[in-house]
Amino acid sequence: MKTVKLTNEELATLKSAVLAQIQSIEKEIKWAKEDGENIDSLVEIREQYQNAFEALNFAE
């Protein structure tokens, strides 16, 4: 694993991008539920994005 240094602006950009992906997945989950589709893979993806977002909260 590598360590990278980010400016506050770069970190904010990454966090915004990950948050946008979480929101997008949330919409997909909602639509899939409405259509009666299996959402297991979408939930897993959402959890991975949420973990990434949490990790970015600890970044300096």
Side-chain angles (χ1 to χ4, degrees):
M1 186 186 300
K2 281 191 159 188
T3 301
V4 295
K5 292 190 179 212
L6 303 172
T7 66
N8 286 338
E9 290 176 7
E10 292 168 328
L11 181 58
T13 299
L14 281 173
K15 288 172 77 173
S16 294
V18 172
L19 187 57
Q21 289 300 315
I22 291 169
Q23 292 169 340
S24 176
I25 292 292
E26 289 287 347
K27 288 178 187 175
E28 287 187 47
I29 289 171
K30 179 183 172 194
W31 295 330
K33 279 183 180 178
E34 289 173 357
D35 292 341
E37 297 176 10
N38 185 333
I39 61 166
D40 291 343
S41 61
L42 293 172
V43 169
E44 184 177 332
I45 292 168
R46 180 187 62 195
E47 289 173 0
Q48 290 174 358
Y49 278 125
Q50 287 172 330
N51 289 339
F53 187 79
E54 289 298 319
L56 290 172
N57 285 331
F58 291 104
E60 296 181 4

